Amino acid sequence: MKDLGELSYFLGIEVVKHGRSLILSQSKYAKDLLVKAGMYECKPSPSPSSTKPAILDPDSSFEDSHWYRTIVGSLQYLTLTKPEISFAVNLACQHMHAPKQSHYIAVKRILRYIKGCIHQGLYFVPGPLHITGFSDADWAGDHVDRRSTTGFCLFLGPNLISWCAKKQHTVARSSTEAEYRALAQTAADVSWIQQLLLDVHIDVSLPHVIWCDNQSAIALASNPIYHARTKHVEVDYHYIREKVLSK
């Protein structure tokens, strides 16, 4: 082993140090991806996805599925420092096996968004060691199978350290169920982060706070009376209740 000095570039991730703060970005990786996709001179987009996805009539198959998988796979790696594209990339990943023209239009929208924020990344500063989570769900957001998408992000002090955008395994029969399953996944990730920090002998202050914008899910986590009307979320109910009681 040998000392290579201060970290500046590792596996496509650029590290810039400013005093006691760090900036992590993938600007070179993003530029190379845009060049590979032939979109380096494209017009930037203000957002990575549209609220109304493109639906072509008829929506023909994309002629080069291997090229689609190559670009989307590269976008997956880019989410390491650009969490805001996680949801859009997750949607693109769901059509790897048989992409349509509309799916590639959505992928190009992501690339256009990246063009406008190539140098942006994650900013880390020293701060208090407490974990804060934000949980949400897109109830029945998939127009094909009507499954919901879980989204959450975790902060250690002021620093974003973990995030997720993932389709739920079952169809939620209410927005409460969708939000509650997202809340359970967030609580599981908080517990994992806490245990990881304890394993490296870093004490974190309790209790951890998880923010959720669904009043029914919040009430369900605190009031056992709601359990009789929501037996289909029994496992997640008991899991969240256990976490609330253990602070």
Side-chain angles (χ1 to χ4, degrees):
M1 296 179 67
K2 61 179 179 180
D3 187 2
L4 299 178
E6 287 194 357
L7 179 64
S8 60
Y9 190 83
F10 182 72
L11 295 179
I13 300 176
E14 301 164 40
V15 181
V16 179
K17 189 173 183 180
H18 288 286
R20 299 181 64 196
S21 63
L22 289 175
I23 299 175
L24 271 60
S25 66
Q26 292 172 283
S27 56
K28 183 181 183 302
Y29 182 87
K31 289 178 182 177
D32 292 343
L33 175 58
L34 290 172
V35 171
K36 180 194 295 186
M39 296 188 63
Y40 188 72
E41 301 297 331
C42 67
K43 181 180 178 181
S45 171
S47 62
S49 61
S50 173
T51 55
K52 295 182 179 179
I55 300 177
L56 305 181
D57 188 23
D59 191 3
S60 58
S61 298
F62 185 64
E63 60 276 5
D64 192 348
S65 59
H66 174 73
W67 175 249
Y68 180 90
R69 288 191 290 268
T70 299
I71 298 299
V72 174
S74 300
L75 286 172
Q76 279 186 297
Y77 190 68
L78 199 56
T79 60
L80 288 176
T81 58
K82 292 188 180 298
E84 72 274 17
I85 67 173
S86 295
F87 178 74
V89 173
N90 175 264
L91 291 179
C93 289
Q94 296 173 22
H95 308 286
M96 290 281 209
H97 59 292
K100 303 287 187 180
Q101 288 290 342
S102 59
H103 302 148
Y104 189 62
I105 291 175
V107 169
K108 290 199 293 185
R109 172 71 178 254
I110 302 173
L111 293 171
R112 288 173 51 214
Y113 170 79
I114 293 170
K115 170 65 177 179
C117 61
I118 287 180
H119 298 288
Q120 294 180 5
L122 296 176
Y123 184 59
F124 294 95
V125 294
L129 295 179
H130 61 262
I131 301 173
T132 306
F134 294 85
S135 170
D136 202 0
D138 176 21
W139 179 47
D142 193 296
H143 298 284
V144 178
D145 57 17
R146 284 304 175 186
R147 292 188 183 182
S148 307
T149 300
T150 291
F152 70 79
C153 59
L154 302 184
F155 288 80
L156 181 61
N159 305 304
L160 179 63
I161 60 170
S162 180
W163 54 90
C164 174
K166 183 179 182 181
K167 184 187 283 190
Q168 296 181 1
H169 296 296
T170 58
V171 177
R173 287 179 282 176
S174 66
S175 60
T176 300
E177 180 180 353
E179 295 273 2
Y180 203 73
R181 293 199 182 280
L183 195 60
Q185 190 170 349
T186 308
D189 208 59
V190 168
S191 298
W192 183 83
I193 293 293
Q194 175 184 316
Q195 188 58 52
L196 177 64
L197 292 172
L198 291 176
D199 287 344
V200 294
H201 306 289
I202 297 177
D203 293 327
V204 290
S205 55
L206 294 174
H208 307 307
V209 179
I210 300 178
W211 295 92
C212 174
D213 63 354
N214 186 277
Q215 293 295 325
S216 298
I218 295 171
L220 184 60
S222 306
N223 189 349
I225 295 176
Y226 279 79
H227 176 50
R229 285 180 278 166
T230 52
K231 290 184 178 180
H232 50 289
V233 289
E234 180 178 1
V235 174
D236 285 344
Y237 166 82
H238 285 297
Y239 183 82
I240 291 287
R241 284 286 299 158
E242 180 183 280
K243 293 301 176 185
V244 171
L245 294 176
S246 65
K247 299 187 182 299

